[in-house]
Amino acid sequence: MLFLKSMPVIASPTHYIFQIVRAGITFLACTQVEMPPLMGIEFLCRVADILSDYLGELNEDLIKDNFVIVYELLDEMIDNGFPLTTEPNILREMIAPPNIVSKMLSVVTGNSSNVSDILPGATASCVPWRPTDVKYANNEVYVDLVEEMDAIINRDGVLVKCEIYGEVQVNCLLSGLPDLTLSFANPSILHDVRFHPCVRFRPWESHQILSFVPPDGQFKLMSYRVKKLKSTPIYVKPQLTSDAGTCRISVMVGIRNDPGKTIDSIILQFQLPPCILSADLTSNHGTVNVLSNKICTWSIGRIPKDKAPSLSGTMVLETGLETLRVFPTFQVEFRIMGVALSGLQIDKLDLQNVPNRLYKGFRAVTRAGEYEVRS
Amino acid sequence: MAGIRLHVISPLVLVAVGKCARDPSVFVRKCAANALPKLHELRQEEITSAIEEIVGILLNDRSPGVVGAAAAAFASICPNNFTLIGRNYRNLCQILPDVEEWGQILLIEILLRYVVASHGLVKESIMSSLLCIESSHSEKDVFDVNVALEDNGIPSRTYDSELVNLVSRSYIEGLGEYLTRSSDTNARSSDLNGARFTSGKTNDDVKLLLQCTSPLLWSHNSAVVLAAAGVHWIMSPKEDVKRIVKPLLFILRSSGASKYVVLCNIQVFAKALPHLFVPHYEDFFVSSSDSYQSKALKLEILSSIVTESSISSVFKEFQDYIRDPDRRFAADTVAAIGLCARKLPKMANTCVEGLLALIRQELLTSDIESGNGEADVLIQSIISIKSIIKQDPSCHEKVIIQLFRSLDSIKVPEARVMIIWMVGEYSSVGVKIPRMLTTVLKYLAWCFKSEAVETKLQILNTTIKVLLCAKGGDMWTITRLFSYLLELAECDLNYDVRDRARFFKKLFSHNLCSQVPEETNALQENKDLPLVLVECIFRKQENLAASEPINDRFYLPGSLSQIVLHAAPGYEPLPKPCSSLCDDLGQFSNSIDRTTALGEEWTGSSSNGTDDPDTSGSLDEESGSNYDSQQSIPGLSDNSGTGDSASEGDRNCDPLIQISDAGIACSNENGASHSGFPDLEGMMSKRALESWLDEQPGSSSPSASEQIQVRQSSARISIGNIGRQVKAKSYTLLDPANGNGLKVYYSFSSEASTISPQLVCLETFFENCSSETMSEVTLVDEESHKALDLADLTLATTASSLTSQSDLPTLVPMEEITSLEPGQTMKRILEVRFHHHLLPLKLALHCNGKKLPVKLRPDIGYFIKPVPMDMETFIEMESRLPGMFEYARRWSLVY
């Protein structure tokens, strides 16, 4: 069963099953005939995204509590085995998200349905992602660069692979039908891009300009990849030596290239090899936790100015084992506010068809993605 | 309303949908499109054409939302009605980027099929290698393709053109058709000839499709990206295929499940055109959060795209992976290293050194740790070394020696077996190895007792191999070692080992008796028969070509079938190029092709499907029994018998068959005259050896006699030489050890029974291996004679026997063999009914008044019966087949 659990596509004699696992919940879809498997998987991901958007987060109890909503959503999202409405904005208009008021109303009036009676206008418009009559008192648009750094540092401490996976997230609170143009100062560093359906392809092909009619509210405008970066903001230096049945571990963490902003919520996580019986780990900064499944977490937080945080300790190997031959991989998490490590810069954001009073905001944040240090 | 699935109201719904399809509101039209598949599922013949008409109207719509839904309807209702697409092709292409994402996925596929069907493949695309192959009609001739490629002006591209050919061919033809085609390469009519190609640069439709799908490579829906990539992979010119690489690699960053699917597809792309992915090898470095399947796929891709320039960094990565806590993954890595080394022979030395170091390191701990994973890594690393050495044994002499040395410390039986195999295989390589041999063999003999069974068998084999090529003074030592080993083996607990020891002893009885090697040489004239036989058996490995067959299956990129590696129900390969132009003709000739091919397989021996299989079957039987009567009296007319077999052996080109046939004649002779010549037993056990080694199934007398039989019948119904290629595998029904010297074996003769089509014909051979005459030999069904002992039956077989009791007789009563002389072989045709299940049939064999229980195991292949049918019925039946892999079975998912 463990094997099946990790297979995204399962072939049974009569059916094919696609599965994804999100937050401990397995979403299954099944088919009897040939279809693009990614279509199934992508749809499941979309369902999971929208459910977690509606319910705030995703867990078993929440789904049980809001079963009616989940059912209504699925009913709208898929029809006769084909995805129908998956645009979150339209769904939001059709089915009101759960909140206290609606719960009260349903209890008082006895009307349990929260599907709206009127058809959302956007279904008929040529921009299906945007409702037709949006009105805001304050017109605001926020553009966030959210970047994740993927890196692999091998046993010799050499940076094998370092790249940024970034997203441009826009929170658009604009009245009417605005038309936005976003341009970057240095679009040439982008290795590859993917766009929200609202982005027009022609301007990007010719001038590398993003021209779009935004959906309402928060959405992911584009995602991009910047490859072959040369340095990482922090270093992690693990050292494991083993002799006569015990293993000494010491891990040093420090700042390598100061990005100019503080690096916080640094967390180091690693899985102890199965041959280790017990571990005694201490650190001079932060807290260390060893869970029963041998996952060890060292939360550092911010790196102090006066000293370099280090973790040290001894581990007892299985009886009969002299030296350690399999080594753990350390997963590093960190967050840097205010900096996009890829160096991507937004040049300007132009708007058309918008009222004159307008607030534009830009932010950037870099997190660690699949940031691994092997030992 | 369409959701109400009642046949009664469907005409009403159809009218409503037809009205809605012309409604001014976009949303209404979209809903109408969504309702169409539901209507269609009611399967009412009279409304189908009306539905298709509405689909046509909706496809012509201006609004992208409607077109998306209409595309979905089209795909489920009439995926082959290309005229509907043809009318709106341009409009559809232009609207494609604006269609909603789910509709895009289906629309892309529809457009691709339409273009292939109407315009054929693109000349500049990778699919054009198909053209080269087809026009030259030489499937395996890689050279031809390379020449053709150089003509195209791309001389530096090195890729596995045979593989590309296979991939493209399987896209178009589908797997089943491909197999039947390749089974009769000569007979096929190539309907895919060069005229069906178009140029991507001049054809506007193709250009338009490529233009419209290329922005979709930026879509944020990974399914759309993959579908668009598939179009470019098939249609775009070679120079432009690289456009799909970056988007494909980018969608690797999405969720774990889609990562696996994308990797599966990239794997095929990378195998066919490795140079595409060469610069991006870093993207396939494994991260610890990947699932095991993704890791394994990444390793496979890495080893197929590795080049001289990237090999060093890839190897550094591999070194890291070997220390991964997941030992399964580490073993895979070791295998990948072996693959890389075979791909780049220059790196072989580095690889071998690394692997040897790894083995040494493993050895330090493997005796203490009992973990399964460690043993796997060790075995895998020896397999890798073995495959590297195989390429060029002479320059890895030192490695081989090192492995011999480490034999002492390696404890895993599988690993030991492989090293011992290498001892035998490379015993004559280089200078030092021959000198070491005696020491190694002494060591092996010393530890023989404590070995596992497979190691013991391998030690025996190896000693013979060494013995065969030993020279001079070593010969004596080795011979003595060998006889010592044989003595040990003969007293072994395992009877496989004992049997093999006895067999070898008989084979080498000359060499052992006459311990002076010169004498052996001198007497070679007389005794070369067993020696040649031994040479044939043990030297065979060298002749085997190192080419590994490409047994992967390929399906369209992005399809479900590509992931599960079988054709899912509803999977359709690309339509025949230009099939919509000369539609009827092409499909007709093609289906004829297929019918004859299938007919050939079914009837088995007659190449002409129109022949009545029943008559040919009975002819075969007659001629078989004719021959039987000859064969059963070799003692009386041994001259004619020998001549018969010998001449028959001459006609075969395989030397092994020749020898064995002569041997049988010889043994028959000897058996009749009771001369006690030592050859006899050796020949007897030879057959057992064949069943062990499984090298030449059915090369012993049953197939020989069958071949004669086939040839005799061929004189009458004039079939080709196909029967000679078909060798029936023979199974042992009764071992001489259990049956007091009576040996019974059977083979499935693919003949139709004369009594009932449900009966399966078996050729059963009764052979008397003892020295006494046997009488009243017959086989009966236990169930019909109620005198059976149920005590030792297991539960499962009891159940099966209960069910079979209620049915018809399972065994047609056999003609009794009144007496069987020693050494004599009799043949009977058994007609058995297996009730279409695979459980063995319990029969009772009566012999000399005693009853022996035997089990007859069915072979599923022979449940298939030839069914004569004309073209219309065939097409009709074929259309009813739901899919190759559909069978009902309860399946519950437990977590």
Short mmCIF file of all heavy atoms in Angstrom, two decimals, chain B residues 53-82:
data_model
loop_
_atom_site.label_atom_id
_atom_site.label_comp_id
_atom_site.label_asym_id
_atom_site.label_seq_id
_atom_site.Cartn_x
_atom_site.Cartn_y
_atom_site.Cartn_z
N GLU B 53 -24.48 17.46 -36.11
CA GLU B 53 -24.74 18.72 -36.80
C GLU B 53 -24.64 19.90 -35.83
O GLU B 53 -24.02 20.92 -36.12
CB GLU B 53 -26.15 18.65 -37.41
CG GLU B 53 -26.43 19.72 -38.42
CD GLU B 53 -27.87 19.61 -38.87
OE1 GLU B 53 -28.36 18.47 -39.03
OE2 GLU B 53 -28.50 20.66 -39.05
N ILE B 54 -25.23 19.69 -34.64
CA ILE B 54 -25.17 20.76 -33.64
C ILE B 54 -23.74 21.02 -33.22
O ILE B 54 -23.32 22.16 -33.03
CB ILE B 54 -26.06 20.40 -32.43
CG1 ILE B 54 -27.50 20.26 -32.89
CG2 ILE B 54 -25.95 21.47 -31.37
CD1 ILE B 54 -28.43 19.79 -31.81
N VAL B 55 -22.96 19.93 -33.09
CA VAL B 55 -21.55 20.11 -32.73
C VAL B 55 -20.88 21.00 -33.77
O VAL B 55 -20.12 21.93 -33.44
CB VAL B 55 -20.82 18.75 -32.65
CG1 VAL B 55 -19.34 18.96 -32.51
CG2 VAL B 55 -21.34 17.96 -31.48
N GLY B 56 -21.20 20.75 -35.05
CA GLY B 56 -20.62 21.56 -36.11
C GLY B 56 -20.98 23.03 -35.95
O GLY B 56 -20.13 23.91 -36.08
N ILE B 57 -22.23 23.28 -35.63
CA ILE B 57 -22.66 24.68 -35.46
C ILE B 57 -21.91 25.33 -34.31
O ILE B 57 -21.40 26.44 -34.43
CB ILE B 57 -24.18 24.72 -35.16
CG1 ILE B 57 -24.96 24.25 -36.39
CG2 ILE B 57 -24.61 26.11 -34.75
CD1 ILE B 57 -26.42 24.00 -36.10
N LEU B 58 -21.79 24.59 -33.21
CA LEU B 58 -21.15 25.17 -32.03
C LEU B 58 -19.66 25.39 -32.26
O LEU B 58 -19.08 26.34 -31.73
CB LEU B 58 -21.38 24.26 -30.82
CG LEU B 58 -22.82 24.26 -30.33
CD1 LEU B 58 -23.04 23.16 -29.32
CD2 LEU B 58 -23.16 25.60 -29.72
N LEU B 59 -19.04 24.49 -33.02
CA LEU B 59 -17.61 24.67 -33.28
C LEU B 59 -17.38 25.93 -34.09
O LEU B 59 -16.32 26.54 -34.04
CB LEU B 59 -17.06 23.46 -34.04
CG LEU B 59 -16.67 22.25 -33.21
CD1 LEU B 59 -16.24 21.12 -34.11
CD2 LEU B 59 -15.55 22.59 -32.25
N ASN B 60 -18.38 26.31 -34.84
CA ASN B 60 -18.25 27.49 -35.69
C ASN B 60 -18.48 28.77 -34.89
O ASN B 60 -18.45 29.86 -35.45
CB ASN B 60 -19.28 27.37 -36.82
CG ASN B 60 -18.90 28.24 -37.98
OD1 ASN B 60 -17.77 28.70 -38.05
ND2 ASN B 60 -19.83 28.46 -38.88
N ASP B 61 -18.69 28.64 -33.61
CA ASP B 61 -19.07 29.80 -32.80
C ASP B 61 -17.92 30.79 -32.69
O ASP B 61 -16.75 30.45 -32.83
CB ASP B 61 -19.47 29.31 -31.41
CG ASP B 61 -20.43 30.27 -30.75
OD1 ASP B 61 -19.96 31.31 -30.25
OD2 ASP B 61 -21.63 29.97 -30.75
N ARG B 62 -18.29 32.03 -32.42
CA ARG B 62 -17.27 33.08 -32.29
C ARG B 62 -16.71 33.14 -30.88
O ARG B 62 -15.60 33.61 -30.67
CB ARG B 62 -17.89 34.44 -32.62
CG ARG B 62 -18.25 34.62 -34.05
CD ARG B 62 -17.07 35.20 -34.84
NE ARG B 62 -17.19 34.74 -36.22
CZ ARG B 62 -16.17 34.27 -36.93
NH1 ARG B 62 -14.97 34.20 -36.40
NH2 ARG B 62 -16.34 33.87 -38.17
N SER B 63 -17.48 32.70 -29.92
CA SER B 63 -17.06 32.90 -28.54
C SER B 63 -16.16 31.76 -28.08
O SER B 63 -16.47 30.58 -28.28
CB SER B 63 -18.29 32.97 -27.64
OG SER B 63 -17.91 32.73 -26.32
N PRO B 64 -15.03 32.10 -27.48
CA PRO B 64 -14.09 31.06 -27.06
C PRO B 64 -14.69 30.08 -26.06
O PRO B 64 -14.40 28.88 -26.11
CB PRO B 64 -12.95 31.84 -26.41
CG PRO B 64 -13.16 33.26 -26.72
CD PRO B 64 -14.56 33.44 -27.18
N GLY B 65 -15.53 30.58 -25.16
CA GLY B 65 -16.10 29.71 -24.15
C GLY B 65 -16.92 28.60 -24.77
O GLY B 65 -16.85 27.43 -24.36
N VAL B 66 -17.69 28.96 -25.79
CA VAL B 66 -18.53 27.97 -26.45
C VAL B 66 -17.66 26.95 -27.18
O VAL B 66 -17.91 25.75 -27.13
CB VAL B 66 -19.49 28.66 -27.43
CG1 VAL B 66 -20.36 27.64 -28.11
CG2 VAL B 66 -20.33 29.67 -26.70
N VAL B 67 -16.63 27.45 -27.84
CA VAL B 67 -15.77 26.55 -28.62
C VAL B 67 -15.12 25.51 -27.70
O VAL B 67 -15.02 24.33 -28.06
CB VAL B 67 -14.72 27.35 -29.39
CG1 VAL B 67 -13.71 26.43 -30.02
CG2 VAL B 67 -15.39 28.19 -30.44
N GLY B 68 -14.72 25.94 -26.51
CA GLY B 68 -14.10 25.00 -25.58
C GLY B 68 -15.04 23.86 -25.25
O GLY B 68 -14.68 22.68 -25.34
N ALA B 69 -16.27 24.21 -24.91
CA ALA B 69 -17.24 23.18 -24.58
C ALA B 69 -17.56 22.33 -25.80
O ALA B 69 -17.74 21.11 -25.69
CB ALA B 69 -18.50 23.82 -24.03
N ALA B 70 -17.63 22.97 -26.97
CA ALA B 70 -17.93 22.22 -28.18
C ALA B 70 -16.80 21.24 -28.49
O ALA B 70 -17.06 20.13 -28.97
CB ALA B 70 -18.12 23.18 -29.35
N ALA B 71 -15.56 21.65 -28.20
CA ALA B 71 -14.43 20.74 -28.44
C ALA B 71 -14.57 19.50 -27.57
O ALA B 71 -14.33 18.37 -28.02
CB ALA B 71 -13.12 21.46 -28.14
N ALA B 72 -14.98 19.72 -26.31
CA ALA B 72 -15.19 18.57 -25.43
C ALA B 72 -16.26 17.66 -25.98
O ALA B 72 -16.13 16.43 -25.98
CB ALA B 72 -15.55 19.05 -24.04
N ALA B 73 -17.33 18.27 -26.49
CA ALA B 73 -18.42 17.47 -27.05
C ALA B 73 -17.92 16.71 -28.26
O ALA B 73 -18.21 15.52 -28.43
CB ALA B 73 -19.58 18.38 -27.42
N PHE B 74 -17.17 17.39 -29.11
CA PHE B 74 -16.65 16.75 -30.32
C PHE B 74 -15.80 15.54 -29.96
O PHE B 74 -15.94 14.46 -30.54
CB PHE B 74 -15.81 17.77 -31.10
CG PHE B 74 -15.19 17.22 -32.34
CD1 PHE B 74 -15.89 17.17 -33.53
CD2 PHE B 74 -13.89 16.75 -32.32
CE1 PHE B 74 -15.32 16.67 -34.67
CE2 PHE B 74 -13.31 16.23 -33.46
CZ PHE B 74 -14.04 16.19 -34.65
N ALA B 75 -14.91 15.72 -28.96
CA ALA B 75 -13.99 14.64 -28.60
C ALA B 75 -14.74 13.42 -28.10
O ALA B 75 -14.30 12.29 -28.30
CB ALA B 75 -13.00 15.12 -27.55
N SER B 76 -15.88 13.64 -27.44
CA SER B 76 -16.57 12.47 -26.90
C SER B 76 -17.60 11.91 -27.86
O SER B 76 -18.00 10.76 -27.73
CB SER B 76 -17.22 12.82 -25.56
OG SER B 76 -18.28 13.70 -25.79
N ILE B 77 -18.04 12.71 -28.83
CA ILE B 77 -19.11 12.22 -29.71
C ILE B 77 -18.56 11.65 -31.01
O ILE B 77 -18.80 10.51 -31.36
CB ILE B 77 -20.12 13.36 -30.00
CG1 ILE B 77 -20.85 13.73 -28.73
CG2 ILE B 77 -21.11 12.92 -31.06
CD1 ILE B 77 -21.65 14.97 -28.82
N CYS B 78 -17.80 12.45 -31.71
CA CYS B 78 -17.40 11.99 -33.04
C CYS B 78 -15.95 12.38 -33.31
O CYS B 78 -15.69 13.26 -34.13
CB CYS B 78 -18.31 12.59 -34.10
SG CYS B 78 -18.59 14.36 -33.87
N PRO B 79 -15.01 11.78 -32.58
CA PRO B 79 -13.62 12.23 -32.69
C PRO B 79 -13.02 12.02 -34.07
O PRO B 79 -11.94 12.53 -34.34
CB PRO B 79 -12.89 11.40 -31.64
CG PRO B 79 -13.75 10.23 -31.39
CD PRO B 79 -15.14 10.67 -31.65
N ASN B 80 -13.66 11.27 -34.94
CA ASN B 80 -13.05 11.03 -36.24
C ASN B 80 -13.76 11.75 -37.37
O ASN B 80 -13.47 11.52 -38.53
CB ASN B 80 -13.01 9.53 -36.53
CG ASN B 80 -12.05 8.84 -35.59
OD1 ASN B 80 -10.99 9.36 -35.30
ND2 ASN B 80 -12.46 7.69 -35.07
N ASN B 81 -14.71 12.60 -37.03
CA ASN B 81 -15.43 13.31 -38.07
C ASN B 81 -14.64 14.56 -38.45
O ASN B 81 -14.93 15.66 -38.00
CB ASN B 81 -16.82 13.67 -37.56
CG ASN B 81 -17.70 14.19 -38.66
OD1 ASN B 81 -17.23 14.47 -39.75
ND2 ASN B 81 -18.97 14.32 -38.37
N PHE B 82 -13.62 14.37 -39.30
CA PHE B 82 -12.72 15.47 -39.55
C PHE B 82 -13.31 16.54 -40.47
O PHE B 82 -12.78 17.64 -40.56
CB PHE B 82 -11.41 14.96 -40.13
CG PHE B 82 -10.61 14.21 -39.13
CD1 PHE B 82 -10.28 12.89 -39.33
CD2 PHE B 82 -10.20 14.82 -37.96
CE1 PHE B 82 -9.55 12.20 -38.38
CE2 PHE B 82 -9.48 14.14 -37.01
CZ PHE B 82 -9.15 12.81 -37.23
#
